[in-house]
Amino acid sequence: MKTAIRRDMILHVEVVDLLNQQIMMEQRASSKYLAMASWCDQRELRNSATYFYNQAEEERTHMMKIFKFINDNGGSALSPTITEVPHEFESLRDTFEASLDAEIEVTQSIHHVFKKARQVGDFTSELFLQWFVTEQAEEEEKVRDILDLIDLMDDMPLKMIDERIPTE
Ligand code: FEO
């Protein structure tokens, strides 16, 4: 029987399309973080570099989570192609500002897929996406805290600021 070989897709096709776009966004976020890590690494800003390397890994994990979710539920996940990401930053603060911008963009996108899943009655995707909604709120808060920290220590040498940046 056909269904014994390949399960019918229980996800809504429009949601799958948006989830595939989300795969692209998460992979792009991972690449952006890698560029930030590289900028910090070259300037011996070790804690910040470690922070961004860890974020790059985390975004890849998010990407894989969505990728597996689509395939495990009868859909077809698309391997993302990422083109250029910014590699030039003006300052350490600039890297974290770029990080916050990237997180806000991802949050808005997650909310958009979540709304679509709810609108079309795709409860499987809605439940799956709840984790991402919570995760994004935490991610944004983490970067905002770091930006506050950088602003507080504005007059300190860059290396001393870096020593206070959390690594994850
Ligand atoms: Fe997976 Fe922080 O976006």
Side-chain angles (χ1 to χ4, degrees), residues 77-91:
L78 304 175
S79 179
T81 305
I82 304 304
T83 49
E84 268 304 289
V85 293
H87 278 82
E88 295 303 320
F89 302 96
E90 286 173 11
S91 61

Side-chain angles (χ1 to χ4, degrees), residues 22 26 29 33 55 58-59 62-63 102-103 106-107 132 135-136 139:
Q22 192 65 37
E26 302 288 348
Y33 275 127
Q55 288 302 116
E58 204 171 296
E59 297 302 351
H62 295 170
M63 186 274 286
E103 291 297 346
V106 172
T107 302
F132 284 88
E135 173 74 5
Q136 277 314 116
E139 289 290 286

